[in-house]
């Protein structure tokens, strides 16, 4: 993440962060649509229309490095009716990981992996048993990252939104106890 050994910081977003979060997502939406050419249905309306609500619900986390917002993600227990069509494998205590993003200029530096480690720790500390997410079928980097972190694709259970296919992933959270010697 940095040759100087500086560690990124993850914190809950607040309403005062909204202008910087909007700028973050403007760069992400441009990159998704014009560089990576993934039709994730992100545009001038979405995800901007849900950012403030995610902040007010204390669901949005920011990834900061050198006092700059370089990424974001949302952890939510909202049971989105769109997701009811998915044949989730577990009904244990769960939450959704949504909209994990990192600035294009900062991608490939380990920030998403750092965020996923935070998400795992959050799950364990809050006694969640399952983490769920959906990812666009063409977002190969994200799919690979999630699989690397133990997420399993739900077989024969895709989410279809406006004719776009999103794969459903789930991860069982295991408490790991390490005895100090």
């Amino acid at each position: 993440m940095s040759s100087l050994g500086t560690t990124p910081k993850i914190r809950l977003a607040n309403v005062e962060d909204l202008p910087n979060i909007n700028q973050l997502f403007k760069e992400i939406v441009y990159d998704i649509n014009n560089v990576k050419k993934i039709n994730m249905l992100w545009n001038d309306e979405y995800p901007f229309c849900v950012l403030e609500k995610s902040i007010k619900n204390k669901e949005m986390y920011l990834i900061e490095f050198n006092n700059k917002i370089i990424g974001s993600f949302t952890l939510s227990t909202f049971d989105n009716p769109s997701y009811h069509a998915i044949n989730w494998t577990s009904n244990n205590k769960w939450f959704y990981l949504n909209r994990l993003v990192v600035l294009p200029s900062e991608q490939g530096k380990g920030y998403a992996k750092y965020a996923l480690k935070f998400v795992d720790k959050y799950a364990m500390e809050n006694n969640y048993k399952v983490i769920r997410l959906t990812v666009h079928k063409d977002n190969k980097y994200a799919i690979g990252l999630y699989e690397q972190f133990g997420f399993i694709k739900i077989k024969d259970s895709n989410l279809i939104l406006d004719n776009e296919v999103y794969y459903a992933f789930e991860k069982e959270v295991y408490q790991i106890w390490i005895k100090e010697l």
Side-chain angles (χ1 to χ4, degrees):
M1 281 168 266
S2 169
S3 59
L4 301 176
T6 306
T7 302
K9 178 176 147 184
I10 294 179
R11 66 171 175 85
L12 273 170
N14 59 58
V15 176
E16 292 78 29
D17 295 314
L18 198 52
N20 291 328
I21 294 168
N22 281 328
Q23 182 59 42
L24 166 74
F25 276 90
K26 282 180 187 172
E27 292 186 43
I28 297 296
V29 169
Y30 178 86
D31 184 61
I32 288 168
N33 292 325
N34 299 299
V35 178
K36 294 184 174 76
K37 305 227 185 266
I38 301 173
N39 188 16
M40 288 177 37
L41 308 176
W42 286 25
N43 52 39
D44 292 339
E45 183 179 336
Y46 185 87
F48 300 96
C49 62
V50 297
L51 298 178
E52 187 170 359
K53 182 178 179 184
S54 294
I55 293 168
K56 288 181 177 179
N57 288 343
K58 300 193 180 311
E59 298 171 338
M60 179 180 279
Y61 290 81
L62 301 178
I63 307 164
E64 292 182 322
F65 188 71
N66 291 334
N67 297 314
K68 179 183 176 190
I69 296 171
I70 60 161
S72 172
F73 57 92
T74 302
L75 305 179
S76 174
T77 57
F78 173 66
D79 193 14
N80 187 328
S82 298
Y83 292 172
H84 291 178
I86 298 170
N87 296 319
W88 300 107
T89 61
S90 175
N91 288 319
N92 290 326
K93 186 178 176 188
W94 54 264
F95 66 86
Y96 290 111
L97 167 61
N98 292 314
R99 297 184 301 277
L100 172 57
V101 298
V102 174
L103 275 173
S105 62
E106 301 298 326
Q107 291 174 3
K109 298 179 182 178
Y111 297 115
K113 291 177 182 176
Y114 187 82
L116 287 173
K117 289 175 186 174
F118 175 93
V119 171
D120 281 346
K121 184 177 177 188
Y122 173 92
M124 286 187 271
E125 289 176 349
N126 292 282
N127 296 311
Y128 285 98
K129 305 300 181 203
V130 178
I131 306 168
R132 296 175 173 174
L133 62 87
T134 58
V135 60
H136 192 278
K137 67 176 177 60
D138 294 333
N139 196 343
K140 305 296 184 203
Y141 175 78
I143 291 168
L145 179 66
Y146 295 136
E147 289 175 338
Q148 179 184 351
F149 271 78
F151 286 87
I152 307 294
K153 183 175 180 269
I154 307 296
K155 292 184 175 154
D156 303 319
S157 195
N158 298 328
L159 177 66
I160 311 294
L161 295 174
D162 290 343
N163 296 317
E164 290 296 323
V165 176
Y166 292 79
Y167 296 149
F169 282 83
E170 203 168 41
K171 176 180 180 176
E172 296 278 340
V173 178
Y174 299 100
Q175 299 287 342
I176 300 173
W177 301 98
I178 299 173
K179 183 178 178 181
E180 292 184 14
L181 300 176

